[in-house]
Structures are given as C-alpha cells and as structure tokens.
Amino acid sequence: MARHALQPGSVIDGFTTGERVHRGGMATLWQVSRPDLAGPLLMKIPRISEGDDPAAIVSFEMEQMIVPRLSGPHVPACFATGDFATQPYVVIEQIPGQTLYQRLPELPLPYDEAVAIACKVAVALADLHAQHVIHHDIKPSSVMFRDSGEAVLIDYGLSHHAQLPDLLQEEFRLPFGTAPYMAPERLLGVRDDPRSDLFSFGALLYFFTTGERPLGETETLRGMRRRLWRDVHPPRKLRADYPPWLQEIVLRCLEIEPAQRYPTAAQLAFDLGHPFEVTLTARADKLTRDPWRTVWHRRFNRGAGLPQPRTDAAANLAAAPIVMVALDVGESAAELNEALRVATARLLSTLPAARLACVNVLKLGRLTIDRTLDEHDNNKHVDRLVQLRHWASRLGLEEARLTSHVIEAIDPAAAVLEFAEVNRVDHIIIGARQQSLRRQLLGSVSAKVAAEARCSVTVVRPKRAGE
C-alpha cells in the first residue's frame, strides 16, 4: 500500500491538508480543505504503522462503512472516504467547539444543566438507533454540540450497524470500549443491543451529576466482570439533595439486565423532558446497593455468564414506540373519545412496551386575555389533567407507560405537531368530528395533523347512527 507521508500542504484526492489537530491511539485528525466544499473539514486517518494496534485497522473499516450512511444534525456529515489500497481516510465536517470532556473539571454540574445536556444526548441516541446504529462508546469525549444546540455524537470506530458486517465481533474476542462506561453485556460478547448505549448514557449522567464514576476506573477484564452482578452506589448516597426522579432515571439506565433498562432512547428522552411525569419506584429512594444475597444470586445463578440471545434492534424500536393520543375533553366529545379509547387499546395491545402520552390542547384566544379558572372557579389546566387521567384509566396501563399533558396554545394543530416533534412521537391517534361548514372553510385539526406530521397518524371518527 503506497501511503502518503502527511504534512501540511499535502494533497490527497483533491483535499489539501492543513494543521494536524489530534493524534489518538487509533487515528490522527487533520484539518483539510477542497475548493468545492465550504466550511471547515477534518480528515481522519488510521494509525497503521509498525507496532500500532491491529484493531485500529478494523475499527477504521467499521467507521468507513458506517459514517457515510448516517444523516441528520446529530452526526457529523461525511464528504469522502479513501481506499486502503492507496490512503485510507474519512473526511467529515469539523464541528466547532469542544467535547463534553472539557467540562470534567466543573463536575458535578448543577442538576438543571446536567439534565439539559442529557436530554440532548438522549435525543441524539434515539436518532442514531433509528438509523440502525449502536454507538458503543458513549463518553464525554464522544459528545459535542452544534451552535444550534443539537448534540452531535462522534467517533464510530466501535459501532455496530444492524445491516452491515460487524468486523470487530468477527475478528476479536475481547470487548473494545471505554471501561468506565461499558455495559455489562458487552463483556459477554453482546454487541447488537441498543440498550448498551443507555447503560453508557446512565454512567455519563451519573458522573456529571455526582462528580464520581459509578463503575470506578477499573481497566482489568477481571475487575470489569464484577459489573455482571454488582450494582452501583445510588447517587443519593453521594448527594443527599439528589432528585428522586433523576435517580430513578439514572439507576434504570444502569440496570445490570438490559431488559430492566429503558426499552428505547426515545422513551428515556421523554422522561428527561417530563420529570414530573416520571413514575417513581424503589429505585428512587435507594440509599445503599443491593444486599449481598441478591448479588450472590446474580453471580451464581445458572446460566449467568452466557451470551444473551441476539436482539433485533429494529424490532426492539418498533415494539417500544411513543404513542400520542390527542383528546378533546368537552362533554360533546364523549362519543368520539370512546372511539379513540377503542382504537388506542387495539394498538397498545400489540405493543406491550409502548409509551402512551395523552394530550389535550387548552385553546387560547388570539386577542383576549384568558382566565385560568372556569365559571365554577376550577383551574382549567388541572381539571383537564384529571379528565385525561380518568379517560386513560380504563386502558389499564401501568403508571410507567402513561403520561398526561395539557398544552396551552392558540393553534391546536400546531401544538399537537410540535409536541409530537419535540418528544419523538412515533404514532399519533387523533379524532375527527363530523363535517361542518366551519371545518370545510378553515380545515380541521385532524386533517392538518395528518398532512404535516412526520410520524404515522391514525384518524378516528365516531360511528354514525345505524352503523
């Protein structure tokens, strides 16, 4: 292989190299430019000289396969790749700013700031998983932020793509990753479960809110294997003021068994964005780790230590969507709401891991000053929340799968669409009333939602008399 001796001013496939900005254990980064491409660019080149880790080559092959297939604001744009026959490289956009690694001297961060960061990272993970990719190296140095606010996940050399060969799995037996953030199942050779990223996310959020790593700095494989049976110290043991709802989220992410974590990053992001809707369990109040009896049972339970069954990541995402039902709680909507309940129950019966968000829009006047109390001096917002929960009670869902939301807005359709977009809703169920002259002239809320939503929409109509 005829490789280039890189230095500032070298030209590779039309790219002119500038300053070398980073030299890592597996690759180097160079600033590059090309006349037909605007904006700052980076060229990533693997370290493949004598004595370098052979895993660097395989890792770079994975990155070359995966990065060009990614899109969206949460990943760096890819512009070109180079062949190993001449000079292997990947050219990506250079994201301005620094990674979360630079924030480590400030830890622990204030809770509100850490949660705001975590929300953005969870949304980025949800987007990545929707593109069939598991990152497998979520840590502070893998997270950046655009000027527009979105989190960007970088470094895909250890990633798994559900539709591509997993060269790391095929060629190596030891797990690759960053020890303080590595999920337990990774030690068993499991690389196809997106919930591994949620464990790493939990370790990151724990670290940023307590200032301590939940799993320590263990680097030996023997030491790391303890996480297969030993849980972490609850954050409230380290900080007495730690919010119970936040501990609930963190410890759920850090569950040893993947099945006990959030089913998807989208559902995790939903809880982070709605802290007062988080269902609290025994996790929220824990002050100590699990008793030794539980630990020994995990360690010596028959079958422990064996690789878990392979997980279809796409099927897992499809089985655990966020479903939103938009309701009108007025008395005149009773018949329609019953039809909505039937449609919602039918859908949820096929999706045992789905999350349901019941939403009502409290319409505001464009020119008037709206009163918070109705004619009976009841708070409109609270009254509607009660009605939403009453409507949902007959569905028989566990608390952890159900939330209720009253949105105050001038435009109901726009409010429904915005809620669905911000909360990464997968399916909207909305009712449509019978046609009227006003709806024919102005258009209905359900029609606008069905036309403009970026997710699937089911429009439900009540049965007419005689049907």
Side-chain angles (χ1 to χ4, degrees):
M1 180 179 70
R3 290 183 282 109
H4 294 266
L6 286 183
Q7 57 185 355
S10 298
V11 178
I12 304 176
D13 294 344
F15 292 97
T16 302
T17 59
E19 177 187 0
R20 187 177 71 186
V21 296
H22 177 72
R23 180 178 174 85
M26 304 184 85
T28 57
L29 289 174
W30 294 78
Q31 288 182 334
V32 296
S33 60
R34 204 172 76 180
D36 60 324
L37 295 175
L41 305 174
L42 288 177
M43 178 178 283
K44 189 171 188 177
I45 297 177
R47 295 184 59 177
I48 51 178
S49 301
E50 182 66 32
D52 285 330
D53 188 349
I57 299 176
V58 179
S59 172
F60 194 79
E61 285 184 278
M62 294 298 300
E63 193 151 21
Q64 272 196 326
M65 289 192 297
I66 291 174
V67 173
R69 289 172 165 80
L70 301 178
S71 62
H74 304 294
V75 296
C78 180
F79 295 97
T81 60
D83 198 308
F84 269 85
T86 53
Q87 176 63 65
Y89 66 81
V90 172
V91 174
I92 58 175
E93 66 171 316
Q94 182 175 8
I95 310 295
Q98 299 176 318
T99 67
L100 278 180
Y101 185 83
Q102 278 66 39
R103 303 294 304 273
L104 299 193
E106 306 171 40
L107 303 187
L109 296 182
Y111 295 123
D112 57 349
E113 184 176 0
V115 169
I117 290 172
C119 278
K120 295 178 179 181
V121 177
V123 167
L125 269 177
D127 183 65
L128 185 67
H129 292 170
Q131 298 185 61
H132 313 291
V133 175
I134 306 166
H135 191 280
H136 280 320
D137 203 20
I138 296 298
K139 58 185 179 182
S141 59
S142 300
V143 181
M144 302 186 72
F145 293 90
R146 296 190 184 278
D147 291 339
S148 52
E150 296 96 341
V152 182
L153 304 178
I154 61 175
D155 295 336
Y156 292 88
L158 303 182
S159 297
H160 169 91
H161 195 299
Q163 299 171 347
L164 296 172
D166 192 336
L167 304 182
L168 284 170
Q169 181 86 328
E170 294 171 1
E171 299 185 29
F172 299 94
R173 292 296 172 262
L174 293 177
F176 286 92
T178 306
Y181 303 94
M182 190 180 295
E185 63 273 12
R186 293 284 310 285
L187 302 171
L188 303 177
V190 177
R191 279 181 46 84
D192 56 0
D193 193 330
R195 293 170 296 190
S196 296
D197 279 347
L198 304 191
F199 185 95
S200 302
F201 174 94
L204 179 69
L205 182 53
Y206 185 112
F207 187 26
F208 269 60
T209 50
T210 67
E212 297 189 23
R213 300 185 193 275
L215 302 165
E217 301 287 350
T218 301
E219 293 291 345
T220 66
L221 189 59
R222 180 179 179 182
M224 290 169 62
R225 288 186 69 85
R226 281 196 293 269
R227 68 189 63 178
L228 289 168
W229 57 79
R230 196 63 171 119
D231 59 321
V232 304
H233 290 286
R236 294 184 67 193
K237 180 179 180 180
L238 306 178
R239 298 187 67 180
D241 65 339
Y242 206 88
W245 68 267
L246 185 55
Q247 175 162 297
E248 176 73 34
I249 291 174
V250 169
L251 291 186
R252 186 174 179 185
C253 289
L254 290 173
E255 287 283 359
I256 294 171
E257 294 294 333
Q260 295 177 8
R261 300 174 204 154
Y262 283 92
T264 66
Q267 291 198 17
L268 166 61
F270 191 97
D271 267 6
L272 285 165
H274 303 88
F276 298 110
E277 297 282 351
V278 175
T279 300
L280 302 184
T281 69
R283 297 187 193 99
D285 296 321
K286 285 185 70 173
L287 295 175
T288 60
R289 294 200 286 183
D290 290 338
W292 277 106
R293 181 179 179 181
T294 301
V295 174
W296 285 102
H297 177 75
R298 285 196 197 108
R299 183 171 185 179
F300 296 109
N301 190 31
R302 188 174 68 175
L306 297 177
Q308 301 175 13
R310 293 181 64 84
T311 300
D312 186 335
N316 184 59
L317 289 172
I322 296 176
V323 178
M324 169 186 176
V325 56
L327 293 159
D328 181 350
V329 296
E331 292 183 5
S332 62
E335 188 178 2
L336 177 56
N337 286 343
E338 182 58 32
L340 284 167
R341 182 165 26 234
V342 171
T344 302
R346 186 179 298 120
L347 177 63
L348 293 179
S349 68
T350 67
L351 302 168
R355 181 74 167 271
L356 179 66
C358 301
V359 175
N360 171 259
V361 179
L362 179 57
K363 194 174 185 305
L364 303 178
R366 293 183 182 275
L367 302 176
T368 59
I369 299 177
D370 294 279
R371 298 180 67 241
T372 58
L373 303 180
D374 62 18
E375 62 273 17
H376 304 295
D377 290 332
N378 296 319
N379 185 287
K380 297 178 183 178
H381 195 110
V382 173
D383 193 48
R384 293 192 178 204
L385 272 179
V386 172
Q387 292 180 68
L388 287 177
R389 289 169 182 165
H390 176 72
W391 177 90
S393 63
R394 287 174 55 190
L395 294 173
L397 298 177
E398 314 91 87
E399 286 187 42
R401 294 180 61 197
L402 177 67
T403 55
S404 302
H405 312 266
V406 175
I407 307 170
E408 299 183 11
I410 294 173
D411 185 340
V416 169
L417 290 167
E418 182 181 9
F419 183 94
E421 183 73 17
V422 170
N423 293 287
R424 304 185 69 80
V425 169
D426 299 285
H427 193 112
I428 299 172
I429 304 175
I430 189 169
R433 294 178 180 273
Q434 301 300 330
Q435 289 295 332
S436 67
L437 179 60
R438 181 174 180 271
R439 283 183 171 77
Q440 291 175 1
L441 294 175
L442 301 179
S444 69
V445 172
S446 58
K448 182 175 181 180
V449 170
E452 299 182 19
R454 297 188 181 184
C455 61
S456 57
V457 179
T458 297
V459 178
V460 177
R461 296 182 184 276
K463 288 185 177 181
R464 296 178 181 178
E467 290 184 337

